[in-house]
Amino acid sequence: MGVGLLLVCHGLVTALVVISFLCGRWPIFEGTFIQRIHYFLTFGAYDYFLRFVGAVFGSKCTNAVLSVEYYCCDRPNPLLQIIYLVIISFTYYFAVNSSFAYIPGYYLSATHKYTSFFAAAVGILLFLLTSFTDPGTIKAENVSQYLAAYPYDNIIFSKKECSTCKIPKPARSKHCSICDRCVARFDHHCGWMNNCIGERNTRYFMAFLLWHFLLCMYGTVLIGLILAGRLKELKVVYILTVYYGIENSFWDLAPHVVQILLIVFVAIVGMLLGGFFGYHAKLCLSNTTTNETFKWQDYMNWQRKLKEAQASAAALKQSISGMNSEKQSLSSNKWRAFFRRSPLEDVVVVKNNVYNKGFLHNIWEIISPLSTRQSFTQTKLKSN
């Protein structure tokens, strides 16, 4: 009973921490304990740590910690890349040590020993491709081609110059302050990849997310079938009561406990990766980037406020003109005011994304970036 309770608590705490850390800023969690846990994990704990260091060790140690923070968060560094490799290596190691002894089993063939290694290797390959592929760096040599490939929509992108690179800034690009370069079709800077996600490596990033989601689901099902096979072969009652025996102890169940912990961890990570992939897939299907999503939100909010102000001004003008017209009975005016539709309800702001050219075209632009096509090179020749 104690082991089962321990496993349930482990799963709940792991899910709570992971969901709070990654999803705590979502509007649905606003004002909840999930948001408070997120704040503590991302800001509060670090703030308390800085205060503790300052109080115990002085300002020099605080400055040293801030220097480390600057290096880890604001400069290119391989820290998260190393953490990723450690996570996937140790997860695979624990899976091999706890589960491969039961393959082949009641439900699984020996093939899964090799397919699991292949799946993990492909995941690492996609990680390396995303990390080390040029995201679409814009330079003086290719800026004219990117200007032709991505026209300005004069809504969220207009003609301007990058204040850092001192070259024209093509539409959909952004200067990354961490990498210190302008990136075409900039989506975001990914610390896990130590690289920007842009025009040329979005395809690898999407493949990375999808493959790791499938890898987590595969691992969950695989370990689940191993456990199911062991229950079938050794009988359920024996598995559940073996650690109560005189000759056996809790350590006899250690491989199965590790397997259950792995299932919980891999399943939670898989669900989060699936959600993250779904979000980016939706962006790709509409030919929008994460950076553009924030720009559109700002633009739509500004347009909505502008139209609401215009509607309010028109309603006020109409009310004033109505007061100067022929007077009506007081009761009639009250009923009309009660049932009158607010002019603010008619305010509609339309998003006009000129880069959305249809489902198939948008997907093809991810698979085959514009700068990898022959037409891009021909544009370069013409510009010369």
Side-chain angles (χ1 to χ4, degrees):
M1 183 65 182
V3 176
L5 182 61
L6 178 64
L7 294 176
V8 171
C9 291
H10 168 269
L12 293 176
V13 171
T14 302
L16 179 63
V17 171
V18 173
I19 292 174
S20 299
F21 180 74
L22 296 177
C23 311
R25 294 182 65 182
W26 290 8
I28 191 175
F29 296 121
E30 187 173 354
T32 65
F33 68 95
I34 298 289
Q35 186 186 44
R36 290 191 287 273
I37 294 175
H38 172 82
Y39 178 81
F40 177 77
L41 293 174
T42 54
F43 299 103
Y46 180 66
D47 183 56
Y48 286 125
F49 173 71
L50 280 180
R51 293 181 184 181
F52 172 79
V53 170
V56 176
F57 301 104
S59 59
K60 288 186 177 180
C61 286
T62 303
N63 292 334
V65 173
L66 291 174
S67 299
V68 173
E69 177 201 355
Y70 175 75
Y71 171 76
C72 294
C73 300
D74 298 321
R75 301 307 308 155
N77 66 85
L79 181 61
L80 288 178
Q81 289 177 301
I82 295 172
I83 291 176
Y84 162 80
L85 292 174
V86 169
I87 290 174
I88 195 168
S89 300
F90 273 84
T91 303
Y92 186 75
Y93 170 79
F94 284 123
V96 169
N97 273 10
S98 65
S99 304
F100 272 32
Y102 308 109
I103 299 177
Y106 193 86
Y107 294 108
L108 298 171
S109 66
T111 308
H112 290 282
K113 285 187 177 181
Y114 309 103
T115 55
S116 60
F117 175 80
F118 172 77
V122 171
I124 294 176
L125 175 62
L126 291 172
F127 168 77
L128 295 175
L129 283 172
T130 310
S131 297
F132 296 105
T133 298
D134 177 21
T137 304
I138 301 173
K139 305 175 183 177
E141 297 79 17
N142 62 11
V143 65
S144 59
Q145 288 73 53
Y146 278 115
L147 287 169
Y150 295 107
Y152 298 109
D153 62 354
N154 293 317
I155 302 176
I156 59 174
F157 295 108
S158 57
K159 188 176 181 180
K160 62 174 66 174
E161 183 183 85
C162 177
S163 58
T164 305
C165 298
K166 304 301 180 184
I167 58 175
K169 194 173 183 180
R172 314 193 75 185
S173 67
K174 183 181 178 181
H175 185 91
C176 178
S177 59
I178 298 177
C179 295
D180 193 26
R181 59 182 172 181
C182 281
V183 177
R185 200 183 179 279
F186 179 88
D187 190 274
H188 69 286
H189 180 89
C190 182
W192 290 101
M193 307 297 174
N194 192 26
N195 196 9
C196 290
I197 305 302
E199 185 227 11
R200 296 177 69 94
N201 66 346
T202 297
R203 50 185 172 174
Y204 300 130
F205 178 70
M206 293 298 296
F208 170 86
L209 292 178
L210 177 60
W211 187 263
H212 278 71
F213 165 69
L214 296 175
L215 180 63
C216 288
M217 294 299 101
Y218 173 66
T220 302
V221 173
L222 192 69
I223 298 174
L225 290 176
I226 290 173
L227 285 172
R230 295 297 291 168
L231 291 172
K232 187 77 174 178
E233 292 169 354
L234 301 178
K235 298 181 181 180
V236 177
V237 175
Y238 176 77
I239 289 294
L240 294 177
T241 60
V242 65
Y243 58 90
Y244 289 118
I246 298 175
E247 298 178 358
N248 299 298
S249 66
F250 171 76
W251 297 107
D252 294 309
L253 284 180
H256 304 298
V257 173
V258 173
Q259 288 167 359
I260 295 173
L261 296 178
L262 280 175
I263 284 181
V264 173
F265 172 74
V266 172
I268 292 173
V269 173
M271 288 187 291
L272 291 171
L273 285 172
F276 199 47
F277 171 78
Y279 169 75
H280 279 278
K282 181 182 177 181
L283 293 181
C284 290
L285 293 177
S286 60
N287 208 336
T288 308
T289 65
T290 304
N291 178 53
E292 291 167 3
T293 299
F294 293 122
K295 285 181 174 289
W296 275 115
Q297 287 177 354
D298 293 339
Y299 173 79
M300 300 284 279
N301 290 335
W302 174 70
Q303 284 289 311
R304 187 173 293 106
K305 290 179 181 178
L306 180 63
K307 291 191 175 184
E308 286 177 353
Q310 292 173 346
S312 297
L316 179 61
K317 184 178 179 180
Q318 185 178 4
S319 298
I320 294 174
S321 63
M323 291 173 62
N324 297 329
S325 62
E326 186 178 352
K327 293 184 178 181
Q328 298 177 348
S329 64
L330 182 61
S331 59
S332 176
N333 286 336
K334 285 183 177 180
W335 282 108
R336 287 191 179 185
F338 182 79
F339 290 106
R340 185 180 300 152
R341 181 182 178 87
S342 172
L344 298 182
E345 296 180 17
D346 298 325
V347 172
V348 178
V349 180
V350 179
K351 176 181 175 181
N352 182 23
N353 181 13
V354 300
Y355 306 112
N356 185 358
K357 299 179 180 178
F359 173 81
L360 294 177
H361 184 280
N362 296 340
I363 294 178
W364 183 243
E365 189 172 317
I366 298 297
I367 298 174
S368 177
L370 298 181
S371 61
T372 63
R373 302 179 188 178
Q374 188 176 2
S375 57
F376 190 85
T377 308
Q378 291 174 349
T379 307
K380 180 178 181 180
L381 294 174
K382 289 179 183 179
S383 63
N384 292 335

